[in-house]
Amino acid sequence: MNKPVTAEIISIGDELLYGQILDTNSKWLSEEMDKIGVRVVRKTTIGDDPEAMIEAFKSASKKADIILMTGGLGPTKDDLTKNVLVDFFNSSMKLFPNALEDVRKFFESRGRELSPTNRSQAYLPSNCTYIQNAVGTAPGMWFEENGSAWMSMPGVPHEMKYLMENAVIPRIKEKYKLPVIYHKLIKTIGIGESWLSDIISDWEDQLPPHIRLAYLPSLGEVKLRLTGFGESLPPIVKEVDDQIAKLEPLIAKYIYGYNTDTIASALGHELIQRNENIAIAESCTGGYLSHVITSIPGASNYFNGSIIPYHNTYKEHLLGVSPETLASKGAVSEETVIEMSKQVRLKFNSTYGLATSGVAGPGGGSDEKPVGMVWIACHDGEKCWTRMLQLTKDRIINIQLTSTASLNLLRETILHNRK
Amino acid sequence: MNKPVTAEIISIGDELLYGQILDTNSKWLSEEMDKIGVRVVRKTTIGDDPEAMIEAFKSASKKADIILMTGGLGPTKDDLTKNVLVDFFNSSMKLFPNALEDVRKFFESRGRELSPTNRSQAYLPSNCTYIQNAVGTAPGMWFEENGSAWMSMPGVPHEMKYLMENAVIPRIKEKYKLPVIYHKLIKTIGIGESWLSDIISDWEDQLPPHIRLAYLPSLGEVKLRLTGFGESLPPIVKEVDDQIAKLEPLIAKYIYGYNTDTIASALGHELIQRNENIAIAESCTGGYLSHVITSIPGASNYFNGSIIPYHNTYKEHLLGVSPETLASKGAVSEETVIEMSKQVRLKFNSTYGLATSGVAGPGGGSDEKPVGMVWIACHDGEKCWTRMLQLTKDRIINIQLTSTASLNLLRETILHNRK
């Protein structure tokens, strides 16, 4: 096997060390490097601190062929990356006229004057290749120094992504001979990591050393990742796919999809195939379940709509749950979610009606119905499938787990109807 | 000033380097360290690779007083942290009977048998202090070695948080004399970073060196963070608060709150104070706007509910938008969002009705109504406030920006009514 081309990701910004923003950039960068066969060997996060930056740059240049840096390029006074790069490369700062022109045009197109602060963004280290940022004002900078390729980008996610897609990834593909890595993800739902591991243990033990397995658990789901390494793609793809063919019968009822499929996208695909559609009555999930479904492009093909009768009055008056049921059983009950799913299905003239009602927390619990108790239902016109969930004390986690479980209930209903 | 107590966060897992999961743990850990005055100086992410782990451990022990490690403690075969810690500390693996007892009880309470894989989780490095994990099966391990304190925790977020809150933070507070840091966040909405920076530039320049300013932009919002450093809290709090009192008049109309306030929580507080409530008709936001509102505990005090008439039929039949308006102006129009906000306000008998309708993308655009074109409206019973947004090509970003802009429109409506 060829020596892999390696990358390090350096994220710069006090706000990352103080924990005041979540670093989604480095995850995205990792995924993109992985796709083109570059191996990310480390990610380092440091503050707006010149000493820490120099130390990180030195260490990275020993460790990786490609160093991707984000952050510290804004127009404001706490942004230091450019100056530190000048020091590190023993370079000097100079005005790049084309950078100035691009920043000017950027503001012109929005009908705004160039501020002095924005003007300073056209001064860059003289040894860099200027990379135009068409979606923002902080320019990208590409360096080839010390045997490594260096790219400095702003920390604003859509600007960073623009620079990567339009300049950095093409340059990396041109400069390096990239090895072959093949990943495949198997997405499961409704079973925990340990139980999955016990079921597939014998299969796992017979994997050859150049095919690796990882468990990636998340709320209500476990992804299995198989990674094959080799010299050319077709034999690796075949080997990995053959292994997956052996795995599938062991856990068939838990698998909902592969790779970039989500439970929502897999269900959407299935509903389109079957020419069916859904409507939702959300109480405790408060819009999140609908959001998960409508995050998928094209959801309008199978999602008719929702009613969120958050206040109990509207469970009766807008959705049509009977006042007797609400009075005798309460909003969080099997009887209520059955009526909710039945009514919403009728109101939106849909194949399936989904409903959620529970105590999301942190307040509102009782001995009989504690925080984390949730009822969900899926009505297919003939039968209503229900489930009670006993979740956590955390409001957001309860909302997310309920949504995932509701989608799984819909999946099981569809599977049942398919038989 | 005392020498600060420093921490490094080491996140372990191939899935982080491959970009297949988002690291939310290190953000949370950073925030918690920040709150108790521990300075996070670096975050390092490495794979399930013994050599990289040893290198990171060595480097961390030179850099930080406290080393917080997450990941690689699961029951499955790709989890290596425990074995590498044994090597690194030149220790040995032994069975901790109390750990075995705790794992056994964990499964017993869930009515399940201990699997052989789970049993192996009670074997730990002999030099560690075993820390009970009451919410999962991977034990925590605390070490005091090489002049540093080390803590190894599972990567599952709620397990890591349980260990931090119940064992690690109390131990750190006991072991170290912690210095004083005071942060205050000022939350603004409706103005970009550069414009904000130009408005407050003179104020920024007069800040003393022990008070630092940072700009934290996110979708549709900019947070300003002031950080004061010193020896005791009261004078720092006073100095920072005095600086903020000077800042506020410059940008008063953009400030919606402070510190942990979100635009949704600040509006919730305001609605409770005014004994008012809201209802929402969501089209292009598909449930996300309701979710943002219902993420706030106690939202049921002011959020009556929503209708999501995703398919146009239901804008007419369920919500009551006139078929003439839909036919002549289309669903994405000022006229339609005005009717949506008016109707949903009446249906839910609410003080305010909010409505969204737009082309979220990536499909569905036309020359006249391109992807990213959105109309939002807020009806207060007398007047309807509307705004047209020209957003991006990205579906999820459009959904988020529309929700933030809708909340800002509600804020402005309330501000207007308050006069």
Side-chain angles (χ1 to χ4, degrees):
Chain A
M1 228 186 286
N2 292 319
K3 194 178 159 298
V5 176
T6 56
E8 169 148 6
I9 298 167
I10 301 180
S11 309
I12 301 166
D14 283 345
E15 65 276 21
L16 295 165
L17 292 184
Y18 290 149
Q20 287 172 321
I21 64 166
L22 179 64
D23 174 19
T24 55
N25 283 346
S26 76
K27 173 189 188 287
W28 187 88
L29 286 166
S30 288
E31 279 183 281
E32 295 304 306
M33 289 301 99
D34 186 59
K35 281 184 201 159
I36 60 171
V38 171
R39 196 166 144 213
V40 174
V41 289
R42 188 167 61 187
K43 301 186 197 181
T44 301
T45 305
I46 46 175
D48 296 304
D49 166 358
E51 259 181 62
M53 284 159 76
I54 297 277
E55 185 187 344
F57 296 164
K58 276 188 190 155
S59 175
S61 73
K62 284 179 213 144
K63 191 143 186 114
D65 302 308
I66 300 162
I67 295 123
L68 301 172
M69 296 169 273
T70 61
L73 293 183
T76 53
K77 291 163 195 183
D78 54 326
D79 291 311
L80 303 167
T81 304
K82 265 187 338 193
N83 296 317
V84 176
L85 284 169
V86 164
D87 282 0
F88 179 68
F89 290 129
N90 210 5
S91 171
S92 61
M93 201 70 92
K94 77 167 194 190
L95 180 71
F96 279 60
N98 45 353
L100 184 61
E101 195 46 35
D102 290 336
V103 175
R104 193 196 306 283
K105 276 191 200 145
F106 182 88
F107 283 93
E108 223 173 67
S109 72
R110 283 156 179 75
R112 287 166 179 164
E113 289 275 310
L114 200 62
S115 75
T117 311
N118 292 127
R119 195 186 149 83
S120 73
Q121 300 202 285
Y123 283 83
L124 305 175
S126 58
N127 63 326
C128 85
T129 303
Y130 160 65
I131 310 277
Q132 193 197 350
N133 172 3
V135 295
T137 60
M141 294 170 276
W142 171 273
F143 303 87
E144 299 198 11
E145 297 273 4
N146 311 339
S148 301
W150 304 70
M151 181 71 200
S152 167
M153 297 170 280
V156 180
H158 76 272
E159 298 184 29
M160 178 279 290
K161 288 177 190 174
Y162 174 88
L163 290 167
M164 286 296 296
E165 283 165 353
N166 290 282
V168 183
I169 290 170
R171 275 167 189 264
I172 289 172
K173 282 184 175 167
E174 198 181 290
K175 187 175 162 72
Y176 297 96
K177 183 179 170 344
L178 297 172
V180 170
I181 301 176
Y182 176 66
H183 294 296
K184 190 149 178 182
L185 288 164
I186 300 107
K187 308 279 186 84
T188 74
I189 192 165
I191 182 172
E193 183 183 7
S194 299
W195 286 266
L196 205 54
S197 164
D198 286 342
I199 294 175
I200 67 174
S201 176
D202 289 345
W203 170 83
E204 190 175 348
D205 286 338
Q206 59 78 50
L207 287 173
H210 61 283
I211 298 185
R212 289 168 66 182
L213 173 72
Y215 293 80
L216 311 174
S218 58
L219 276 176
E221 301 191 20
V222 178
K223 298 171 204 123
L224 297 172
R225 186 191 61 225
L226 271 190
T227 306
F229 300 88
E231 310 252 335
S232 83
L233 199 57
I236 302 172
V237 170
K238 186 176 181 319
E239 266 196 279
V240 168
D241 288 348
D242 286 350
Q243 290 295 346
I244 290 173
K246 285 197 264 177
L247 170 67
E248 282 167 336
L250 304 175
I251 53 171
K253 68 176 169 175
Y254 305 111
I255 297 175
Y256 70 76
Y258 299 88
N259 295 332
T260 57
D261 290 342
T262 63
I263 179 68
S265 74
L267 282 171
H269 186 75
E270 183 75 21
L271 290 166
I272 287 173
Q273 292 287 315
R274 300 167 63 88
N275 198 23
E276 294 181 336
N277 49 38
I278 54 169
I280 304 178
E282 297 196 52
S283 187
C284 66
T285 43
Y288 186 74
L289 177 53
S290 302
H291 166 61
V292 171
I293 288 169
T294 57
S295 294
I296 307 300
S300 51
N301 291 309
Y302 50 85
F303 174 61
N304 288 342
S306 298
I307 293 178
I308 308 175
Y310 211 61
H311 196 290
N312 276 346
T313 313
Y314 304 101
K315 289 187 179 68
E316 183 187 333
H317 292 129
L318 263 174
L319 192 54
V321 176
S322 83
E324 292 74 31
T325 304
L326 286 167
S328 64
K329 305 293 179 177
V332 181
S333 65
E334 184 171 25
E335 290 80 359
T336 295
V337 284
I338 289 174
E339 287 191 37
M340 287 171 72
S341 64
K342 183 180 166 189
Q343 293 292 342
V344 84
R345 181 181 163 277
L346 293 172
K347 285 210 184 301
F348 284 95
N349 194 24
S350 304
T351 323
Y352 303 100
L354 269 175
T356 67
S357 185
V359 189
S366 65
D367 282 354
E368 199 198 344
K369 296 179 180 178
V371 169
M373 180 175 163
V374 176
W375 276 99
I376 59 177
C378 182
H379 208 299
D380 66 11
E382 295 190 358
K383 189 168 173 341
C384 187
W385 315 75
T386 64
R387 193 162 294 160
M388 191 183 74
L389 312 172
Q390 301 269 25
L391 305 173
T392 74
K393 302 289 168 212
D394 185 291
R395 182 177 183 86
I396 301 296
I397 288 176
N398 290 343
I399 290 171
Q400 293 175 345
L401 283 172
T402 302
S403 295
T404 304
S406 302
L407 293 171
N408 195 34
L409 188 62
L410 173 60
R411 184 183 75 95
E412 290 173 356
T413 305
I414 294 175
L415 277 178
H416 177 89
N417 288 346
R418 200 158 58 184
K419 275 175 197 163
Chain B
M1 228 186 285
N2 293 320
K3 194 178 160 296
V5 176
T6 55
E8 170 149 6
I9 297 167
I10 301 180
S11 309
I12 301 165
D14 282 347
E15 65 274 23
L16 295 163
L17 292 184
Y18 289 149
Q20 286 172 321
I21 64 166
L22 180 62
D23 174 19
T24 56
N25 283 347
S26 76
K27 173 188 187 286
W28 187 88
L29 286 167
S30 288
E31 279 183 282
E32 295 304 306
M33 289 300 101
D34 186 58
K35 281 185 201 159
I36 60 170
V38 171
R39 197 167 143 215
V40 174
V41 290
R42 188 168 62 188
K43 300 186 199 184
T44 301
T45 305
I46 46 176
D48 296 304
D49 166 359
E51 259 181 61
M53 284 158 75
I54 295 279
E55 185 187 344
F57 296 164
K58 276 188 188 153
S59 176
S61 73
K62 284 180 211 141
K63 192 145 184 114
D65 301 308
I66 299 162
I67 295 123
L68 301 172
M69 296 168 273
T70 61
L73 293 183
T76 53
K77 291 162 195 183
D78 54 326
D79 292 309
L80 304 168
T81 303
K82 264 187 338 191
N83 295 318
V84 176
L85 285 169
V86 163
D87 282 359
F88 180 69
F89 289 130
N90 209 3
S91 171
S92 60
M93 201 71 93
K94 76 167 196 193
L95 179 70
F96 279 60
N98 44 352
L100 183 61
E101 195 45 36
D102 290 337
V103 176
R104 193 197 306 281
K105 276 191 199 142
F106 182 87
F107 282 93
E108 222 173 65
S109 72
R110 282 155 179 76
R112 287 164 180 166
E113 290 276 308
L114 201 62
S115 76
T117 311
N118 293 128
R119 194 186 150 85
S120 73
Q121 300 201 286
Y123 283 84
L124 305 174
S126 58
N127 64 326
C128 84
T129 302
Y130 160 65
I131 309 275
Q132 193 198 349
N133 173 3
V135 295
T137 60
M141 294 169 276
W142 171 272
F143 303 87
E144 299 198 13
E145 297 273 3
N146 311 338
S148 300
W150 304 71
M151 181 70 201
S152 168
M153 296 169 281
V156 181
H158 76 272
E159 298 184 29
M160 178 280 290
K161 287 176 190 173
Y162 174 88
L163 290 167
M164 286 297 295
E165 284 166 352
N166 290 282
V168 183
I169 290 170
R171 273 164 191 265
I172 290 172
K173 282 184 174 166
E174 198 182 290
K175 187 175 163 72
Y176 297 97
K177 184 179 170 343
L178 298 172
V180 171
I181 301 176
Y182 176 66
H183 295 295
K184 190 148 177 181
L185 288 164
I186 299 107
K187 307 281 185 82
T188 75
I189 191 164
I191 182 171
E193 182 182 7
S194 299
W195 286 266
L196 203 55
S197 164
D198 286 342
I199 293 174
I200 67 173
S201 176
D202 289 345
W203 171 83
E204 189 175 347
D205 286 337
Q206 58 80 49
L207 287 174
H210 61 284
I211 297 184
R212 289 168 67 182
L213 174 71
Y215 293 79
L216 311 176
S218 58
L219 277 176
E221 301 191 20
V222 179
K223 299 172 203 121
L224 297 172
R225 186 191 60 225
L226 272 190
T227 306
F229 300 87
E231 310 253 336
S232 81
L233 199 57
I236 303 173
V237 171
K238 188 178 180 318
E239 266 197 281
V240 168
D241 287 349
D242 286 350
Q243 289 295 346
I244 290 172
K246 285 197 265 177
L247 169 68
E248 282 167 336
L250 305 175
I251 53 170
K253 68 176 168 177
Y254 305 111
I255 297 176
Y256 70 76
Y258 300 88
N259 295 334
T260 57
D261 290 343
T262 62
I263 180 66
S265 74
L267 282 171
H269 186 76
E270 185 74 23
L271 289 166
I272 287 173
Q273 293 286 313
R274 300 168 62 88
N275 198 21
E276 294 180 338
N277 49 39
I278 54 170
I280 304 177
E282 297 194 52
S283 186
C284 66
T285 42
Y288 186 74
L289 177 52
S290 302
H291 166 62
V292 171
I293 289 169
T294 56
S295 295
I296 308 300
S300 51
N301 291 309
Y302 50 84
F303 174 62
N304 288 343
S306 299
I307 293 177
I308 308 175
Y310 212 63
H311 197 290
N312 277 345
T313 313
Y314 304 101
K315 290 188 178 67
E316 184 187 335
H317 292 131
L318 263 176
L319 193 54
V321 176
S322 82
E324 293 74 29
T325 305
L326 285 168
S328 64
K329 304 294 178 177
V332 180
S333 66
E334 184 171 26
E335 291 79 0
T336 294
V337 283
I338 290 174
E339 288 192 36
M340 286 172 73
S341 64
K342 184 180 165 190
Q343 293 293 341
V344 83
R345 182 182 163 277
L346 294 173
K347 285 211 184 297
F348 285 94
N349 193 26
S350 304
T351 323
Y352 303 101
L354 269 175
T356 67
S357 185
V359 189
S366 65
D367 281 354
E368 199 198 343
K369 296 179 181 177
V371 170
M373 179 175 164
V374 175
W375 276 98
I376 59 176
C378 182
H379 208 299
D380 67 10
E382 294 190 358
K383 190 167 174 337
C384 187
W385 315 76
T386 64
R387 192 160 294 159
M388 192 183 75
L389 312 171
Q390 302 268 26
L391 304 174
T392 74
K393 302 286 169 215
D394 184 291
R395 182 178 184 85
I396 301 298
I397 289 177
N398 290 343
I399 289 171
Q400 293 175 346
L401 283 171
T402 303
S403 295
T404 303
S406 301
L407 293 171
N408 195 33
L409 188 62
L410 173 61
R411 185 183 75 96
E412 291 173 356
T413 305
I414 293 174
L415 277 177
H416 178 89
N417 287 347
R418 199 158 59 185
K419 273 175 196 161

